[in-house]
Structures are given as structure tokens and as C-alpha cells.
Amino acid sequence: MQDTKGMLDKIRHHDKLLLALNQNCEIPLPADVLEILAQPHRLSFYYFQFIVTGAATFVTDLHEFNIANGGLAFGLPNQVFTKLPYDKNNMQYALSFDESTLMLLPGKYPFLVNPYNVNAISFDKAAQLRVKNLLSGLFQLLHTPGKQKKAEVILAHLHTVLTEFNTAYFEQYGEQDVHTGTKLSKYIAFKMAVETNLSEQHDVQGIAEQLALTSGTLYGIVKEFAGVSPKEWITNRLMLEAQRKLQYSRVSVKELAYELGFSDPRYFSRVFKKSTGKSVSAYLASLQELGQN
């Protein structure tokens, strides 16, 4: 298991922006980058694969899903991501950029917090055509020889692409009424509060106060969007992070427990087994079996 730290820098297509876009595999990738892409890898940047024609199978954090004709798969920083197989015959666009590039954009894109915990987006026919044309234009902007690559123009194109993604995400998975929109913003804020300091021992009451909510209101919002209580959501998120770390790094149970903010490794082990149905050792054994298949 490898992570992608430094990989984006090798395939960037602008000298000031950590941004890369490939069209139908036209741009040859370094051998070590291809080696990473061919196996599960921990993302250190935002990744999007738009399949114009063809189909592909993806795995994010052990969840497998398929994308075909006009669909989008995406991965977020820290997710363990795999594409199976890497078919160069598909007509496709592969877009990636880092957090520093995102910070330069003029808009906000709540789908990047992934409130519905999905990694696939579908588009209607008109939106499919718009997305394809936008990505094609951005590719030409980045790769046309002899043209000055102006960062502000590139960022404007990227903003429009992400706006299309964001709109389609919430049209597909979200609700449109204003009350749900307000609750969604609070749910996103809850997720961000946890993600910002993931290894801290989070106090649900403290987070509720931070969001200007009662603990009961926060409970109702998280339950509506995630199907679990805030405390369960935090525990599940920590166990997901534990599984990610076990996939791409060699770490002892004791070290892993401390990294995730648990003062008692034995308690961490019990929580892990309750959450995943396997002990840490059994989980590692199952990963080794998968790697041998």
C-alpha cells in the first residue's frame, strides 16, 4: 500500500498550480506513478475520473462501485483509492489537484466534504456534454504548446467544472428545500469540526455549542444524514481512519491507538473489533489474503 505524497508534483501541468489533467491517457505518466495507480493507494489530493465512454470499477475505502458512460468517480484526500482495471481504451478525463489549489478558487464546493458518503456522480445528457466540453477546454488550456498558461484562467475553468460536479452531486443525493439546506450546512460543519482535529477526544456537547445548536438538534441532524448518532459517527470515522492506516502503513496496535487519540490500546482494540467485526490482527490477515489474490 502506497500513498500519493509527491506524485501530483510529478504530473502537474502548470508551474505554479498543483493541478494535473489527462485526456484519454494522452500524457504519458512516469513509471513509478503508474505503479502506484495500479494498486490501492492513499490519496493526498483530490482526484476525479470522468468516463466519457466505457466503464470502470473503483474502490474507495473498501467500497466497490462501477462508473460508466458519462459518470464521475472521485476520491478525496486520505481516502484509500483503487481503479480496477486501468483501461486505456476508455474515453476519459483524469483530473487532480491539491488543497492549495482549491484554496485559490473563488467558490465553495460542499460536495468535497462528501456529506452523503458516496464517491460517484451521475449527470443528465446536457450536463454530461457540458462537463466533457469543460474538461476538454481545460486540457487544451494546460497542454497547448507555446501558449502561456495563465493561472487565473485555469482557475476560472476549474471553478466551473467543480460547480457542475457540486450541482449534480446535490441534485442526485440531496434535497432541495431550504430547511434541508440549512440542516445540511450544519451537518457539513459538524463533519469539518471532527475532521479538523480527528485525533482529539471529541465532546459532542462542545461541538454542538460551537455550531450554535443544542445537543438534541445536532443529534437529529446527524441522525438524518448519516443514520447514526454524533458519537457513533465520530467512532465510525476513527475506525475508518484506523483501517486506512492499516492498509497503507505498518504500525503497531499501540501506535495506532495513540495516533487516533486513544489512551488505552486495549479499549481501542475492542472498539475496532466491534466496528469492523474483526480484531486488528484478523483484519491485517484479510488484507494480506486480498493482496495475494
Side-chain angles (χ1 to χ4, degrees), residues 62-88:
L62 303 180
H63 172 64
E64 183 174 306
F65 60 98
N66 299 313
I67 296 292
N69 301 333
L72 177 80
F74 67 95
L76 305 175
N78 293 318
Q79 284 193 306
V80 175
F81 191 86
T82 317
K83 179 183 177 184
L84 301 169
Y86 201 86
D87 187 354
K88 293 184 177 181

Side-chain angles (χ1 to χ4, degrees), residues 220-277:
I221 290 173
V222 176
K223 187 75 172 180
E224 177 178 340
F225 285 98
V228 296
S229 70
K231 184 176 180 180
E232 289 172 316
W233 192 94
I234 293 169
T235 299
N236 292 342
R237 178 63 185 87
L238 286 169
M239 292 306 101
L240 172 59
E241 192 66 19
Q243 291 175 79
R244 288 176 176 173
K245 289 180 179 292
L246 289 170
Q247 286 186 71
Y248 68 79
S249 64
R250 294 183 177 181
V251 60
S252 70
V253 174
K254 186 176 181 180
E255 291 172 327
L256 182 57
Y258 291 151
E259 282 184 22
L260 295 177
F262 289 82
S263 59
D264 183 353
R266 290 175 297 180
Y267 175 68
F268 163 76
S269 296
R270 291 196 298 271
V271 174
F272 185 91
K273 186 172 184 179
K274 182 179 180 180
S275 176
T276 66

Side-chain angles (χ1 to χ4, degrees), residues 86-104:
Y86 201 86
D87 187 354
K88 293 184 177 181
N89 293 319
N90 284 343
M91 292 186 64
Q92 59 196 326
Y93 290 88
L95 170 69
S96 50
F97 55 84
D98 73 338
E99 190 71 35
S100 64
T101 300
L102 180 64
M103 294 294 290
L104 296 172

Side-chain angles (χ1 to χ4, degrees), residues 116-277:
Y116 295 100
N117 295 314
V118 292
N119 289 85
I121 302 175
S122 60
F123 304 87
D124 60 36
K125 292 297 183 181
Q128 287 178 24
L129 182 59
R130 291 197 304 270
V131 169
K132 178 181 179 297
N133 289 339
L134 285 166
L135 291 172
S136 176
L138 183 56
F139 181 81
Q140 293 176 32
L141 180 64
L142 288 167
H143 296 285
T144 299
K147 296 288 185 179
Q148 184 179 6
K149 299 180 177 67
K150 295 183 178 180
E152 62 271 23
V153 179
I154 292 170
L155 291 171
H157 278 70
L158 182 58
H159 164 67
T160 307
V161 170
L162 292 181
T163 301
E164 287 279 5
F165 293 171
N166 190 78
T167 300
Y169 178 97
F170 287 104
E171 285 180 347
Q172 183 175 355
Y173 300 109
E175 300 290 342
Q176 301 302 312
D177 65 74
V178 65
H179 299 294
T180 300
T182 301
K183 288 190 288 186
L184 176 61
S185 67
K186 291 295 186 180
Y187 176 59
I188 290 173
F190 164 76
K191 290 188 68 174
M192 292 300 295
V194 177
E195 295 284 353
T196 300
N197 297 291
L198 185 59
S199 62
E200 289 187 358
Q201 289 297 313
H202 292 282
D203 172 36
V204 173
Q205 178 64 38
I207 295 177
E209 292 175 357
Q210 178 183 334
L211 301 180
L213 299 171
T214 66
S215 57
T217 301
L218 178 60
Y219 177 93
I221 290 173
V222 176
K223 187 75 172 180
E224 177 178 340
F225 285 98
V228 296
S229 70
K231 184 176 180 180
E232 289 172 316
W233 192 94
I234 293 169
T235 299
N236 292 342
R237 178 63 185 87
L238 286 169
M239 292 306 101
L240 172 59
E241 192 66 19
Q243 291 175 79
R244 288 176 176 173
K245 289 180 179 292
L246 289 170
Q247 286 186 71
Y248 68 79
S249 64
R250 294 183 177 181
V251 60
S252 70
V253 174
K254 186 176 181 180
E255 291 172 327
L256 182 57
Y258 291 151
E259 282 184 22
L260 295 177
F262 289 82
S263 59
D264 183 353
R266 290 175 297 180
Y267 175 68
F268 163 76
S269 296
R270 291 196 298 271
V271 174
F272 185 91
K273 186 172 184 179
K274 182 179 180 180
S275 176
T276 66

